[in-house]
Amino acid sequence: MSKTINNDEEVKIGIYICDCGINIAGVIDTTTLTEYAKTLPNVSLAKEYTFMCSSIGQEMIKEDINEGLINRVVVAACSPRMHEPTFRTVVREAGLNEFLFEQANIREHASWVNLDDSEGALKIAKDHVRMAVAKLNELKPLEVELVKVEPTCLIIGAGIAGMYASLDLAQEGYDVYLVEKEPTIGGHMAQLDKTFPTMDCSACILTPKMVDVEREEKIHLMTYSEVDNVDGYVGNFDVTIKKKPHYIDQEACTGCGACAIECPVICGNEFELGIGTRKAAYIPFPQAIPGKYTIDMTKCIKCGICASPDVCEPDAIRLDQKPEYIDVKVGTIIAATGWDLYDPTELKQYGYGKYPNVITGFEMERLLSSYGPLEGKPVRPSDLKPPHVLGFLQCVGSRDFRPGKNKYCSRVCCMYATKQARQYKEKHPEASVYIFYTDIRAFGKGYEEFYESAGENFNIKFIRGRIGELYENKDHSLIVRAEDTFLQKQIEIKLDMLVLSCGLEPRHDSDQIASLLTIQKSSDGFFMEAHPKLRPVDTLTSGIFIAGVAQGPKDIPDTVAQAKGAASSAATLMAMGEFAIEPYYSIVLEQKCSGCKSCQSLCPFNAISFDVIKNIAVINKALCKGCGTCAAACPSDAIVQNHFSDDQIFAMINTAIPPLAKTENGGK
Amino acid sequence: MAEVKEDFDPYILGICCNWCTYAGADQAGTSRMQRPANLRILRVMCGGRMEPLMVIQALKNGADGVLVSHCHVGDCHYVEGNLKTFRKMPLFLKMLEQFGVNPKRVKYTQVSASEGAELTEIVKEFVKELKEIGPNPLRMEE
């Protein structure tokens, strides 16, 4: 007896087995699988083809639907997370409801994980196809829900990535809320002196863009602010932004700096990595945008000098300012939250924090900077004299395969060390500069040439070998021992100063951002892209994109390229104006609901309300995101989750386990 | 009981959430991480959708083991759907024991979308454990 759909039409299932070249057929005997598929209930036909996702494969399905041979489709191929949208479109274009389709995963979950076990992979493939057919027999047509996409984007982080994404979107006509934690935009790039390989002055190329961001009308700049909460879904995110108190009225402040001149509190300047000083009333650096002052309440002694009318003429000081919470509605979100520098203190063998003349590459950047604390004349910290022998050690906090360490390559350190070495040689041609490296990775455009030139024209000595031993002399110079792995020889060099080329790490607070946005992180701790090659700026959460080092270590050109990519992806979504969401919401069967309210407290999205008159639960399908938690919990089985109903799931469970074969060795 | 039955090929049904463990299994596949051919995965959108009855039904139908797996606590795509299962599972495993079912037949884990390697290890371990426990006596014969 055949199963029927609502209009009493007979269920006719078509099964399409994809060879995926040799990806599937190289392991699984697809001919046997096709023959097996034909024996399953309500299956009208089963076919095999090399690439089902190709246009020929897609046409095969369409033709069979159009000729009335089938009215439901199973494709046994890759993961539904890869091609479910492709085949749903095919089914829809052939005039069938796109939810009368099921994909059986026989590649990622069968052939690829059992390359040497054809029999085992075939067994799993059969089970997956049988489960798909069982579900398909129970599937019901569903209507896609279209939601409006608000033409506004939230961008978290105003470093070079966030700035470029904002500018692109603003110029395309979208409103942008650009949220930055620090009192200024610019991010880490503002702290760099020059950029490899062109030796552009970082500030010269960055600060004009910072001004553009401030001037652009469509960009609503929110510095010294944090994203406090994110609710809603693609196209309709409700975001709460916390504006931290500046203790200075930003509208009234003219940026004259009188408060900072008069402020009696002197403390370390974070922008200068503690090498320079600032006051409690401060601006991070002279070109900061917006150029308004902030009072650091953790340092302020509340003397009130700045508040006196003689000091602050516009009367902008507000020592009792409270945080402000602002609600905005946005359609898309780009997370460009950046990175932290690896802290080498834990690597005791290099003596960072113990020996004064061991510094990080980022500190070196500030020492070399013409607008840094030393005005571009680097000296060693112990005696404030320029070092004659300078060493750089690569891969500090990168490419370390010990448990709990960063296994990845940070990609920028080889080049920044070479650049800094060259900068130092330009200033002190008489000095000797050594770079101790693992491998030189000069991967970008013009990078290899830059590296070659550093050795050839600047006489920088590259030694292939990590430093094994380091100790300090009485005069604070350093003795380092390493193995030159090319010469296979132990070497010992006396250095005046050692720079640790530290790698990049995910921001310490990236966990909070990830859970706020419900996006995933890869095992290295950076935000995870939806597909490593084909969807590099998307996340698994629709409407949320990632850019810059937040996704993985990269240099400035790659960061800008990715930021522009993320902006383009967000713009595409907003230009469409509507987004189809999967109608996996749950519904309440009125007759079955006993009004126990168990479901109400379980819903993470407050989508379930209670109808007091009918004494039943009511689900708002616009708020429901389709997790099915309520359906699992309902003691009366009164809640049905679309596309994942009990009928469908239990049908799969009931056919999943084949009886043990006596003759065949399938069951063994 | 502890005797390992090498010729026994355990049937494992996985009930996994779309966003983490299913994606992690995809990642294991994409990275060609080899594991014994014992796991079939039934996809639900969220770990919160898992009902104890689903596990019971699978065991009744003869599954030698059931793997329930979802996002790590705090990583749930639906904010806290996985927490509901996180609270349900210890009670459920205790109940299974009281029913006379070896609770080791049900493995409960959290595997993220980037933890294909972890999933591979979990499956290897589970297969080993199930070989020690032996076949599910409820499995039908042809």
Side-chain angles (χ1 to χ4, degrees), chain A residues 10-37:
Chain A
E10 192 190 347
V11 171
K12 292 179 284 188
I13 297 175
I15 301 184
Y16 299 87
I17 314 274
C18 180
D19 291 346
C20 197
I22 57 160
N23 284 309
I24 293 170
V27 178
I28 294 171
D29 178 357
T30 39
T31 318
T32 312
L33 185 61
T34 314
E35 288 310 311
Y36 171 76

Side-chain angles (χ1 to χ4, degrees), chain A residues 79-80 82-89 101 103 582 584, chain B residues 43:
Chain A
S79 169
M82 178 92 191
H83 271 313
E84 195 175 56
T86 314
F87 294 116
R88 278 196 178 158
T89 310
F101 162 79
Q103 191 163 350
E582 286 164 331
Y584 296 163
Chain B
R43 179 170 70 128

Side-chain angles (χ1 to χ4, degrees), chain A residues 12-16 43-46 70-75 136:
Chain A
K12 292 179 284 188
I13 297 175
I15 301 184
Y16 299 87
V43 173
S44 302
L45 57 88
I70 54 167
N71 53 20
R72 293 180 183 213
V73 178
V74 171
V75 175
L136 204 55

